[in-house]
Amino acid sequence: MSPVIEALELTRNFPSRSGWVGAKRDVWALRGINLSISRGETVGVVGESGCGKSTLGNILLGLDSPTGGGVRFEGKYLHDFKGAHRRQMRKRMQLVFQDPFGSLDPRRSVGAQIADGLRNHDVVPAAEIPAEVARLLTLVGLAPSVAPRRPSQFSGGQRQRIAIARALAPRPDFIVADEPVSALDVSIQAQIVNLLADLREELDLAMLFISHDLHVVRHLCTRVVVMYLGRIVEEGPAEQIFTAPRHPYTQALLAATPSLKRPAGETGKVLDGELPSPANPPSGCAFRTRCALATGDCASAVPPLETVGPERRTACFHADLTAGQGGLQ
Amino acid sequence: MLRYVALRVLIALVLVWLVSTLVFLVLHLVPGDPAELLLSAGNTAPDPEAVAQLRSQMGLDRPVLAQYAAYIADLTHLDFGVSLRDQNPIAPELALRLPRTLELILAAAVIASLIGVPLGTLAAMRDGGWSEKLVSLLASAALSTPVFVVGTTLVLVFAQWLGWISAGGYVPLAEDPLRHLSLLAMPAVTIALPLTAVMIRMTRASVLEVLEKDHVRTARAKGLARGPIIRRHVVRNALVPVITVLGLEMGTLIGGTVLVEYVFNWPGLSGYLVRAVEARDYPEVVGIVLVISFLFVLLNLLIDITYAVLDPRVKLAK
Amino acid sequence: MTRAQRSLYIWLGLAAVLIAFPLLAPVLPLQPTIGMDIPHRFAGPSAANWLGNDEYGRDVLSRIIWGARASLAVAFGSAFCAAVIGTILGLLGGYFRGITEVLAVRSTEIVICLPPLLLAMLVITILGAGVLTLTVALTILFVPNYTRVVYAATLQTGGLDFVKAQEAMGTHPLKILARTVLPNIVPPLLVQFSLTVASGILLESGLSFLGLGVVPPAPSWGLMIRAARAAMDQQPLLLLWPSLALAGTVLLLNVICDRLQDVLSPKTAARGGAAWLRRQIKRTPDAPAPEVPLLKIEDLSVGVALEQGSMGLTKGIAFEVKPGETMALVGESGSGKTLTGLAMTGLLPNALSVTGGHAWFRTEAGVVDLAALTEEEFGPLRGNDISMVFQDAAAALNPVHRIGDQLAEIIQCHRPMPKQQAEAEVVELLRKVGIPDPERRIRAYPFELSGGQRQRAMIAMAVANAPKLLIADEPTTALDPTIQAQILRLFAKLKEDNPGMGVIFVTHNLAVVKEIATHVSVMYAGQVVEQGTVEEVFADPRHPYTKALLASVPESDAERLESIPGTVPQPGAMPEGCRFAPRCGHAAAACAAPQPLLDTGEGRTTRCLRWADLWKDVA
């Protein structure tokens, strides 16, 4: 099946200066990202803050422009579209935000906000807009009668449902969900995760699911990419990544994640040190400063993302040593 | 820190240049012939000969770029040209009067800070109490009364009715220090009054905001007594925005000196300015406006540096 | 309508009445403002001339009303023109950034370098005095203020998610500006408008007072004060009337501006500022102190004081912490777990207070009731016997003091010692919590440390005086997984070093509870619903909420996650009986009555009436 959206050698750097006269340094947010997502597939992006996962989402949606490389949507490069054409493209891809309190305009009714997407792209004739808004609200599990209310009258979980309805309004083919459940309580989180899983099935969507909660990603996603300091370090089917990780960083991340299933008193290996500054990343493999397996090779060259199994890729010179270690039950 | 100061100085110099350019542009962007405008009064057309003479005297007959180059070149030598009225050079007069205005401004700023910050802190700590209401009411009243009304009232009460101090005037400090200070008191207090009100309001708002901050809760969680918490963790942090406001208010403060110097016959820059504007003596006005603007930029530079001393984050930001 | 709104409308109404006079001046039966009446020079107030006559014998009242027209025309005219221009510049500069930003915003900042009155005088020099010139000059003056305010508000609004959502939806940028951004910047714009009008009136009167504004014989307040000043020894009242009119008008505008701010951006802070600074009424313990090993909380309730009275937030909290135990308080937002932690140290937010119950705590001097201590009495305990670690270390550390000083402060506060000695101890502490290069790090400011290091410094502060009880409020929630693991390990190490220390660990993460705690209290809607050792509670939950919460963690192999239907009830709308009953699949008629915490044996408790029916096999 041909992918809906593809990232090709995406690079994004943010120029930064220390002071007006200071040395100019680039902060590398993304480096050489290749990724493709097909219909019905949910790709999870995991990594710690500063790894570039949100930047990746923004660029795939065309809300930010890459410094190098390009994004192809159904085979056509996004950067070939400008102005009104670009806005036309936007109906095909939508975004769900992390903060359910900031993502809705407090001054307008939720119905009007859902209708914006319908009006912008003439999805349905003007007369049918109220009916379509009602349909979308029902789809996300809310009563159609709530349309005239302001966002302040809803709880966090309900707002996230409304935000999802708004994203679905233009009938997109591709959705980026940027930490959509991390601001919600556990019991509400489960409701939203279930809703997203249902929608993916029903609407045959391609989805990029950005999250730092590995358990949620494992539950929801079909495929996972692990990012560290702007690069993909590991990629593969979700179940395999979690049960048989190959990159030392993935293994460390899994070990660091508290689990209910882990026997009491047993803690995983704790990774030392902190994320290096993206403005001044280590040479070669960015993870080598915290990696137990690091050797001289790791400092001199960036390990390429190599195939280590069916649909499995990892970027580690020592991937032969890591098989069979780590992983969640 | 040194680099921060150097950078601020550089920015200040650029600002001085931009302000000078703006002042130059004001004359040249106004629709109509500047010389004609300056000489016109009411609806009578000015004498063409006088216009031509003024044009050549102000160099308006030369190309604009040449005028601009000469203007900037003169400024770098602190040469502000000669007055249209009496042909006297303007720079020496400015040099004589500038320190007097500066003295007023500094005296007012000191008075306002010494009264405003403690009263504002008190008002915040007693928020909702009668002392806060009284302080806030006084501050609102002080902020709403124009300086020239306050000044005139002070003259009426203390000079005319009570006869305690003379209505105005100036004696150099070296000549008679006591009399100098007694003459300084009323104008300084007059300028300080609205500034004090601003400081009180700003300090109150800022302290109230800091009191809500998590780090104050941390200070309490440490077991510190009320005094150290207020001094080290509240007022110290609250001063940062207050200083910023002081910088923004500097313009109003300097504007206030114009009126106050006029009311009290204080021979600073401003009385000079009023007479120059009345006579529509363009070179004089430009000279005074420029000097005061430079002063303004300088004071803001000092505030920027104070700011950096108070808040370590500032040095690294931007 | 809130109190603030009512107040605003009253002041606006007053302003409307006052503005009506000058607006209606041409039709009011006023005496002429021009023309002389020499016999009545300086006459005092009379039936014909209510405010008396001026130096030319003209009626003062009618001159004040007519004079207001000049001031208001100049002030409102320039404020309005500047608002329109400034808003457009600020919107464009703030939204499109780049070159538009430089042209629209940076350029106006140069005007700000010119003191307002001076710029006006410069323009007057060239154009001559008069109402129109003044309006033009003030418009130029005010544009930068509006531009700045609108620019800042636009930048702020433009960065918000709901604006980004509009972009993602393909809405035209100008439509986004008009429909989404503009309504959200109206509040600061309105405030700026009222400020500018007041400032305009002041500037106009000031210039007129100098003789550079309105041209006589047209009436203007500034001119009237100028004339009265010359004659103040003859008739001081002449000074009073225009001064009153002027100051009164400006005061009115300033008050309206304040009220506007109150209405448009209501402060979340309760009126009255910091409650801990006020005199506190001491609650006298109504029970004799029992013998407790470390901490025993009995029936503790926290409530918030509202205008309508007090509203309960937590009710009947009870648990015990023995030396060496780690008690986890776990629950969702609104469960009251953080409030319980804060109540132990008397650090509840303003307007919140302990409304009942006891928190018995053993100190050197005997057992005290933490629920009844005043701010002063807490002083020696805090940071010494009981200490706290907060969730957001970036906010909890004072940004303007060095890390070392902030740590030395807590040491010297409870154990007076010379600065050098305290500093040496700080270095040792930082080393203990795993901050590399502590000798240099003590000179760092909080913003120079990473998130993980800041939390380490926060923890160092908490253990500086070897507390008996450490309360940690979500200390790892804001951290990345690998850093969270490091901090959890640090807590474990500190407990090994100080085995007698009791810990209360507040978190929403069940897996973290499993990792760090020995005992757990599960909280829901302000109550403890279940209690016991972590091992037993997690293996065999005896409350439907605990069971549902454990099932909703996405770690099962089930295709669908177990979700709890509905939402947590709001404080003030709590169910009468079992607070979980409306969301509970096992609710029965008896659940409609308030539920006590039932002892289920082996040191475990549950607030479920039906626990025995539901889990017969385990009971």
Side-chain angles (χ1 to χ4, degrees):
Chain A
M1 189 157 60
S2 70
V4 175
I5 195 152
E6 295 162 277
L8 301 154
E9 283 299 320
L10 274 190
T11 297
R12 177 72 167 104
N13 41 358
F14 296 101
S16 98
R17 263 173 200 276
S18 45
W20 286 15
V21 288
K24 201 178 151 190
R25 268 209 302 247
D26 280 353
V27 173
W28 293 86
L30 292 180
R31 299 183 78 168
I33 301 286
N34 287 297
L35 184 67
S36 66
I37 307 173
S38 307
R39 276 184 191 284
E41 199 181 25
T42 301
V43 175
V45 183
V46 299
E48 295 177 285
S49 44
C51 73
K53 51 189 196 294
S54 290
T55 310
L56 175 63
N58 282 340
I59 291 181
L60 287 182
L61 288 172
L63 293 173
D64 189 4
S65 305
T67 323
V71 174
R72 243 180 2 204
F73 184 80
E74 290 182 341
K76 289 171 290 220
Y77 278 100
L78 277 191
H79 55 239
D80 290 340
F81 294 87
K82 295 274 183 284
H85 287 111
R86 172 68 76 89
R87 286 199 290 278
Q88 277 298 312
M89 289 292 288
R90 294 253 162 92
K91 71 176 273 204
R92 310 289 304 277
M93 9 186 191
Q94 283 297 311
L95 175 62
V96 178
F97 297 86
Q98 167 173 10
D99 175 15
F101 289 85
S103 66
L104 297 173
D105 188 341
R107 287 166 203 278
R108 300 176 63 219
S109 76
V110 298
Q113 295 188 57
I114 295 172
D116 283 345
L118 301 171
R119 286 210 179 83
N120 282 344
H121 304 290
D122 298 318
V123 178
V124 293
E128 290 170 28
I129 284 178
E132 179 69 8
V133 169
R135 189 187 72 83
L136 287 162
L137 284 170
T138 317
L139 188 66
V140 297
L142 292 170
S145 59
V146 303
R149 295 200 200 154
R150 297 287 169 91
S152 59
Q153 289 171 277
F154 297 91
S155 70
Q158 289 170 325
R159 284 173 191 228
Q160 205 58 300
R161 288 174 189 268
I162 293 161
I164 292 170
R166 180 181 59 184
L168 294 176
R171 302 192 182 158
D173 302 289
F174 170 55
I175 282 193
V176 171
D178 190 350
E179 304 262 12
V181 297
S182 53
L184 305 175
D185 277 320
V186 193
S187 67
I188 308 299
Q189 182 174 313
Q191 297 174 4
I192 301 295
V193 169
N194 286 339
L195 173 64
L196 287 173
D198 293 347
L199 291 173
R200 179 186 60 196
E201 304 257 305
E202 256 170 70
L203 307 174
D204 200 24
L205 291 168
M207 198 187 297
L208 186 78
F209 187 86
I210 299 169
S211 180
H212 68 271
D213 185 333
L214 300 184
H215 295 304
V216 172
V217 170
R218 181 185 189 183
H219 186 86
L220 186 67
C221 298
T222 48
R223 200 148 56 86
V224 171
V225 296
V226 182
M227 290 183 66
Y228 190 78
L229 230 57
R231 288 185 195 276
I232 294 179
V233 294
E234 181 152 22
E235 184 185 348
E239 209 40 46
Q240 286 186 35
I241 293 280
F242 288 102
T243 49
R246 293 297 293 278
H247 195 280
Y249 175 64
T250 314
Q251 294 178 343
L253 204 57
L254 292 174
T257 304
S259 165
L260 283 179
K261 289 183 177 170
R262 192 178 291 154
E266 183 184 306
T267 47
K269 264 189 299 184
V270 173
L271 199 57
D272 287 329
E274 300 187 359
L275 199 73
S277 158
N280 189 16
S283 66
C285 174
F287 186 60
R288 68 179 165 84
T289 49
R290 302 170 74 188
C291 181
L293 301 175
T295 57
D297 291 350
C298 301
S300 50
V302 179
L305 204 54
E306 278 176 345
T307 304
V308 291
E311 295 180 62
R312 288 290 302 275
R313 292 188 297 163
T314 191
C316 179
F317 289 131
H318 305 293
D320 48 331
L321 300 175
T322 57
Q325 292 176 6
L328 294 177
Q329 281 81 27
Chain B
M1 185 70 196
L2 212 73
R3 225 177 68 177
Y4 174 82
V5 172
L7 186 68
R8 287 286 125 188
V9 171
L10 196 76
I11 294 174
L13 285 176
V14 172
L15 275 178
V16 162
W17 168 66
L18 287 172
V19 167
S20 312
T21 307
L22 179 74
V23 168
F24 178 83
L25 283 177
V26 168
L27 183 69
H28 291 266
L29 284 182
V30 169
D33 181 64
E36 215 166 292
L37 280 171
L38 285 173
L39 288 175
S40 63
N43 289 324
T44 52
D47 176 18
E49 232 170 87
V51 171
Q53 198 205 336
L54 184 61
R55 282 181 66 86
S56 79
Q57 190 186 340
M58 289 176 66
L60 290 172
D61 44 2
R62 286 186 290 161
V64 174
L65 271 180
Q67 289 180 50
Y68 180 66
Y71 166 81
I72 294 291
D74 284 347
L75 279 187
T76 53
H77 300 110
L78 292 177
D79 178 359
F80 294 95
V82 295
S83 151
L84 290 181
R85 282 180 296 175
D86 47 17
Q87 309 300 324
N88 286 335
I90 295 165
E93 189 73 19
L94 289 174
L96 179 71
R97 288 166 175 267
L98 175 64
R100 300 173 187 163
T101 296
L102 198 58
E103 184 185 1
L104 266 189
I105 292 173
L106 291 181
V110 168
I111 294 173
S113 309
L114 286 183
I115 299 175
V117 172
L119 274 186
T121 309
L122 181 83
M125 288 173 62
R126 301 279 161 79
D127 191 45
W130 65 268
S131 47
E132 183 262 344
K133 291 201 172 94
L134 182 71
V135 169
S136 293
L137 183 74
L138 288 178
S140 285
L143 201 61
S144 308
T145 318
V147 281
F148 58 93
V149 170
V150 175
T152 311
T153 312
L154 286 182
V155 170
L156 181 67
V157 174
F158 291 100
Q160 298 263 2
W161 291 351
L162 299 173
W164 290 355
I165 333 179
S166 17
Y170 177 80
V171 170
L173 184 69
E175 218 167 273
D176 184 349
L178 263 180
R179 187 157 165 70
H180 175 87
L181 288 179
S182 80
L183 284 171
L184 174 68
M186 276 208 297
V189 166
T190 308
I191 302 176
L193 199 64
L195 188 65
T196 312
V198 173
M199 297 282 272
I200 288 176
R201 288 167 64 103
M202 197 55 219
T203 309
R204 175 178 167 270
S206 184
V207 167
L208 275 180
E209 208 182 305
V210 174
L211 280 172
E212 293 285 310
K213 289 270 163 74
D214 279 1
H215 74 253
V216 176
R217 190 176 63 182
T218 310
R220 290 170 64 206
K222 286 177 175 181
L224 295 179
R226 179 193 292 219
I229 295 180
I230 295 293
R231 270 197 314 276
R232 287 208 289 264
H233 294 283
V234 177
V235 174
R236 172 68 206 276
N237 292 60
L239 278 183
V240 175
V242 174
I243 294 282
T244 316
V245 168
L246 187 64
L248 290 174
E249 284 297 314
M250 219 33 111
T252 317
L253 181 63
I254 293 176
T257 63
V258 175
L259 291 155
V260 170
E261 287 184 11
Y262 179 84
V263 170
F264 291 99
N265 283 322
W266 186 267
L269 283 174
S270 310
Y272 188 35
L273 177 65
V274 174
R275 260 175 288 126
V277 176
E278 274 170 350
R280 302 182 73 178
D281 190 331
Y282 185 76
E284 275 190 350
V285 174
V286 166
I288 302 163
V289 167
L290 282 180
V291 165
I292 296 184
S293 308
F294 297 166
L295 183 68
F296 183 55
V297 171
L298 180 78
L299 289 173
N300 269 302
L301 174 69
L302 291 179
I303 281 168
D304 274 349
I305 292 169
T306 320
Y307 198 54
V309 172
L310 281 177
D311 190 346
R313 282 168 300 184
V314 171
K315 272 172 282 182
L316 290 187
K318 276 213 274 198
Chain C
M1 192 156 64
T2 65
R3 248 176 78 183
Q5 276 172 325
R6 214 162 32 233
S7 170
L8 173 66
Y9 291 138
I10 291 171
W11 287 105
L12 279 177
L14 185 61
V17 171
L18 288 180
I19 286 178
F21 281 102
L23 281 183
L24 297 175
V27 297
L28 289 175
L30 294 171
Q31 300 185 22
T33 58
I34 310 176
M36 303 191 190
D37 184 5
I38 302 301
H40 286 106
R41 285 186 74 197
F42 300 121
S46 63
N49 308 92
W50 292 356
L51 301 183
N53 302 62
D54 72 359
E55 73 278 13
Y56 292 112
R58 297 172 295 198
D59 179 48
V60 172
L61 179 63
S62 69
R63 281 185 69 82
I64 282 187
I65 293 178
W66 279 96
R69 289 171 73 95
S71 291
L72 295 178
V74 170
F76 275 97
S78 55
F80 184 75
C81 295
V84 172
I85 302 171
T87 305
I88 293 172
L89 289 180
L91 273 178
L92 295 179
Y95 191 74
F96 293 105
R97 314 293 302 274
I99 186 75
T100 333
E101 183 178 4
V102 175
L103 289 178
V105 182
R106 303 281 160 231
S107 61
T108 59
E109 284 181 358
I110 305 165
V111 177
I112 292 178
C113 291
L114 283 166
L117 198 62
L118 294 190
L119 191 66
M121 290 173 96
L122 190 68
V123 174
I124 290 162
T125 313
I126 300 168
L127 295 180
V131 171
L132 191 65
T133 318
L134 267 179
T135 310
V136 172
L138 295 189
T139 303
I140 298 173
L141 272 179
F142 293 151
V143 165
N145 292 328
Y146 283 102
T147 311
R148 263 159 80 124
V149 167
V150 173
Y151 170 72
T154 308
L155 271 192
Q156 201 189 7
T157 313
L160 295 179
D161 281 350
F162 63 81
V163 177
K164 197 171 156 196
Q166 286 287 339
E167 284 168 36
M169 224 178 273
T171 309
H172 194 276
L174 291 179
K175 204 170 184 180
I176 298 181
L177 276 183
R179 192 174 62 189
T180 310
V181 180
L182 192 60
N184 283 292
I185 60 172
V186 165
L189 201 58
L190 278 177
V191 169
Q192 185 62 32
F193 187 79
S194 59
L195 276 178
T196 327
V197 172
S199 161
I201 291 177
L202 282 179
L203 281 168
E204 182 277 330
S205 59
L207 285 167
S208 297
F209 174 76
L210 292 173
L212 303 173
V214 174
V215 184
S220 139
W221 293 344
L223 276 174
M224 292 173 77
I225 296 170
R226 176 183 169 87
R229 178 173 170 264
M232 64 186 173
D233 39 349
Q234 286 161 285
Q235 182 50 282
L237 275 181
L238 283 185
L239 189 60
L240 179 69
W241 306 125
S243 298
L244 269 186
L246 185 53
T249 309
V250 177
L251 182 62
L252 183 60
L253 283 164
N254 283 339
V255 170
I256 287 175
C257 177
D258 286 351
R259 295 292 168 275
L260 208 54
Q261 260 164 335
D262 289 347
V263 171
L264 295 175
S265 50
K267 285 269 158 58
T268 43
R271 275 295 285 175
W276 58 276
L277 287 170
R278 271 173 293 164
R279 190 181 297 280
Q280 287 163 323
I281 302 142
K282 185 169 166 58
R283 290 182 58 213
T284 41
D286 49 13
E291 267 311 299
V292 293
L294 181 62
L295 176 75
K296 185 177 172 122
I297 296 177
E298 292 175 347
D299 206 23
L300 188 77
S301 305
V302 172
V304 57
L306 297 175
E307 275 174 36
Q308 310 90 307
S310 164
M311 180 169 80
L313 294 178
T314 73
K315 193 165 171 249
I317 303 289
F319 60 83
E320 200 174 337
V321 182
K322 295 198 180 76
E325 283 182 358
T326 299
M327 167 62 82
L329 299 186
V330 67
E332 298 178 280
S333 44
S335 64
K337 54 189 192 300
T338 296
L339 291 184
T340 306
L342 291 173
M344 296 300 94
T345 41
L347 294 173
L348 286 170
N350 295 328
L352 265 59
S353 60
V354 172
T355 49
H358 305 282
W360 304 110
F361 178 71
R362 169 164 294 285
T363 65
E364 317 274 272
V367 175
V368 294
D369 185 2
L370 295 177
L373 295 184
T374 62
E375 181 75 14
E376 280 73 25
E377 288 167 327
F378 260 120
L381 292 181
R382 287 182 191 151
N384 196 21
D385 293 313
I386 311 178
S387 60
M388 283 205 74
V389 176
F390 297 102
Q391 172 176 356
D392 183 1
L397 293 166
N398 190 333
V400 307
H401 293 297
R402 295 177 197 278
I403 289 291
D405 296 342
Q406 297 192 50
L407 273 156
E409 198 175 46
I410 193 170
I411 296 174
Q412 288 176 303
C413 166
H414 295 287
R415 292 178 283 139
M417 62 174 75
K419 198 173 181 311
Q420 264 85 14
Q421 197 186 336
E423 195 161 286
E425 216 171 290
V426 168
V427 169
E428 222 24 69
L429 262 174
L430 289 181
R431 199 188 312 282
K432 195 163 124 190
V433 298
I435 290 185
D437 197 6
E439 289 84 358
R440 230 163 44 86
R441 276 310 189 195
I442 57 167
R443 313 213 40 82
Y445 289 100
F447 72 95
E448 294 173 302
L449 301 181
S450 68
Q453 286 183 338
R454 276 196 292 261
Q455 194 55 280
R456 285 173 195 272
M458 191 76 226
I459 292 168
M461 203 177 276
V463 299
N465 294 321
K468 293 193 183 65
L469 179 65
L470 177 71
I471 302 170
D473 183 12
E474 303 254 13
T476 61
T477 305
L479 304 173
D480 277 321
T482 57
I483 307 301
Q484 166 170 294
Q486 293 173 2
I487 298 292
L488 289 178
R489 174 158 291 191
L490 173 63
F491 270 106
K493 179 177 157 262
L494 292 172
K495 284 217 60 180
E496 277 167 32
D497 295 351
N498 185 1
M501 180 170 71
V503 177
I504 297 179
F505 198 98
V506 177
T507 180
H508 68 277
N509 190 329
L510 294 167
V512 167
V513 172
K514 172 133 194 198
E515 201 138 298
I516 191 116
T518 55
H519 294 70
V520 61
S521 296
V522 181
M523 296 188 63
Y524 181 78
Q527 291 182 324
V528 173
V529 294
E530 178 162 10
Q531 232 162 33
T533 63
V534 172
E535 210 170 320
E536 285 176 344
V537 169
F538 279 28
D540 162 33
R542 290 182 181 173
H543 191 282
Y545 176 68
T546 316
K547 200 170 162 59
L549 199 60
L550 285 165
S552 64
V553 173
E555 277 196 63
S556 63
D557 299 320
E559 188 57 30
R560 288 182 69 78
L561 295 175
E562 295 281 333
S563 62
I564 307 176
T567 51
V568 180
Q570 293 297 305
M574 287 293 172
E576 275 289 302
C578 171
R579 292 183 172 183
F580 186 62
R583 301 174 73 187
C584 181
H586 308 290
C591 299
Q595 303 296 315
L597 207 52
L598 303 171
D599 197 328
T600 65
E602 307 117 40
R604 291 187 60 183
T605 51
T606 176
R607 208 180 280 277
C608 182
L609 182 72
R610 305 195 58 206
W611 75 274
D613 310 340
L614 296 173
W615 293 290
K616 269 209 171 69
D617 46 328
V618 291

